[in-house]
């Protein structure tokens, strides 16, 4: 064992039994939360744990995650980001070697496209706790982004396969995600559906199935899974996903209805922020449905809102807002501005071809020679990955032969 591992084993998270009980309840509530009330319930348990033991570092990290979750329900980024980081920093002040606090920082850097910084935090997590499955997976993801494909995939597979119980739906979800990583979609779907047979409300499974449906251009299938997901948790992010799928099957009125619901939900939030930028999408659906005047008005409104956010330097939103601005300017046939924002989105790590290829607002920009060159370069880079997946496929085949991945 390393020195860090020995210290980790010897360390007690808290000497207060009641505080630890509240912490465990908070973690269970956080893991199973499907809506605002449930996240607030988890936060309540963490606050009680801290009340029982103000030096309980892990409880501050748990509470920080509930602040991140609150972004789904209208809490302004300036509030939840500051609050979450303050809580996580408090945890590190109490325990500089707390693996979960460093994992939180790694995730925060990943959200902001700071992959080198994220990599350092995930590596720090694994110095403290070499068996931290999520850090292993996320480190693999950052290595993929850094072009280290074999090493990255090997870590991802290793992380997914650690300490898994075949009786738990998570086992089948993770194997399905391994197959997604190497683009074996049929096998992936088999395992994901096994996970659903054990837990029909497993949200992460539906997200993975929607992603596969998009990759395979099965729009009706994506729509069916999105509808099921919305029945489990009708938050604005899931509804936005559902509306997207209606656009892909050209049911513009259904998309309009869903995005209008998103707008109504966000207007009821106590704070002013909206976690989902939807007006340009709603505007496009209205334009396609024949109401071009109202549609263009909404697109212009979203342009102003997104520019205000970017100019306000709300760092964690820049990548997504830049993508939206590229899409808006493309629709408005303003190539120069569209190209500028597309390049910023690419620089910040959010210009996925799977999204660009299916985003109808990018139709104009896809005719621009400079943008086509950028897309072709990205596409060629992705195509060059195909041979690099072979090493991962060999490892998967070995596991199948040993019965590790048998259904």
């Amino acid at each position: 064992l390393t020195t860090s591992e020995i210290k980790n084993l010897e360390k007690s998270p808290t000497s207060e039994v009641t505080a630890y009980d509240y912490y465990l309840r908070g973690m269970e509530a956080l893991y199973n939360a499907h809506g605002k009330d449930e996240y607030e319930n988890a936060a309540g348990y963490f606050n009680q744990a801290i009340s029982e033991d103000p030096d309980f570092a892990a409880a501050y990290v748990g509470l920080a995650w509930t602040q991140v979750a609150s972004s789904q329900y209208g809490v302004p980024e300036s509030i939840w980001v500051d609050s979450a980081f303050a809580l996580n920093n408090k945890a590190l002040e109490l325990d500089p070697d707390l693996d979960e606090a460093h994992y939180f920082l790694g995730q925060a850097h990943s959200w902001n496209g700071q992959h080198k910084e994220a990599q350092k935090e995930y590596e720090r997590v694994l110095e403290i706790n070499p068996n931290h499955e999520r850090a292993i997976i996320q480190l693999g993801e950052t290595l993929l982004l850094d072009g280290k494909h074999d090493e990255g995939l090997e870590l991802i597979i290793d992380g997914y396969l650690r300490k898994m119980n075949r009786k738990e739906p998570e086992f089948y979800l993770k194997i399905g995600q391994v197959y997604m990583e190497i683009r074996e979609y049929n096998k992936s779907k088999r395992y994901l559906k096994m996970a659903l047979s054990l837990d029909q409300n497993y949200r992460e499974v539906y997200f993975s199935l929607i992603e596969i449906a998009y990759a395979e251009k099965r729009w009706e299938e994506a729509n069916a899974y999105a509808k099921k997901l919305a029945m489990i948790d009708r938050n604005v992010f899931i509804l936005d996903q559902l509306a997207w799928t209606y656009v892909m099957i050209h049911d513009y009125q259904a998309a309009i209805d869903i995005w209008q619901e998103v707008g109504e939900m966000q207007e009821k939030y106590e704070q002013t922020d909206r976690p989902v930028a939807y007006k340009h999408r709603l505007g496009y659906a209205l334009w396609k449905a024949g109401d071009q005047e109202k549609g263009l008005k909404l697109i212009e409104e979203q342009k102003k809102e997104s520019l205000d956010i970017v100019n306000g330097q709300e760092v964690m939103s820049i990548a997504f807002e830049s993508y939206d601005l590229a899409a808006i300017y493309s629709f408005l046939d303003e190539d120069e501005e569209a190209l500028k924002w597309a390049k910023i989105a690419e620089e910040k790590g959010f210009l996925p071809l799977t999204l660009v290829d299916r985003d109808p607002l990018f139709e104009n920009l896809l005719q621009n020679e400079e943008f086509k060159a950028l897309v072709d370069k990205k596409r060629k880079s992705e195509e060059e990955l195909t041979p690099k997946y072979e090493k991962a496929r060999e490892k998967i085949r070995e596991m199948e032969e040993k019965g590790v991945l048998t259904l």
Side-chain angles (χ1 to χ4, degrees), residues 19-50:
Y20 193 61
D21 180 59
Y22 280 130
Y23 170 75
L24 292 178
R25 293 186 189 188
M27 291 302 294
E28 183 178 7
L30 180 62
Y31 181 79
N32 293 310
H34 292 320
K36 182 180 179 182
D37 292 344
E38 290 164 321
Y39 284 116
E40 289 177 348
N41 186 43
Y45 284 127
F46 291 127
N47 277 315
Q48 287 176 298
I50 292 167

Side-chain angles (χ1 to χ4, degrees), residues 2 24 27 39 43 80 146 148 167 178 194 214 227 254 258 282 331 339 353 366 374 376 393:
T2 66
L24 292 178
M27 291 302 294
Y39 284 116
W80 71 259
D146 195 32
K148 298 174 182 175
K167 295 180 181 179
V178 168
M194 278 293 294
Y214 278 145
K227 285 192 285 189
I258 295 296
L282 173 56
F331 181 79
L339 187 59
L353 291 183
L366 283 167
L374 172 65
D376 288 343
R393 288 194 176 94

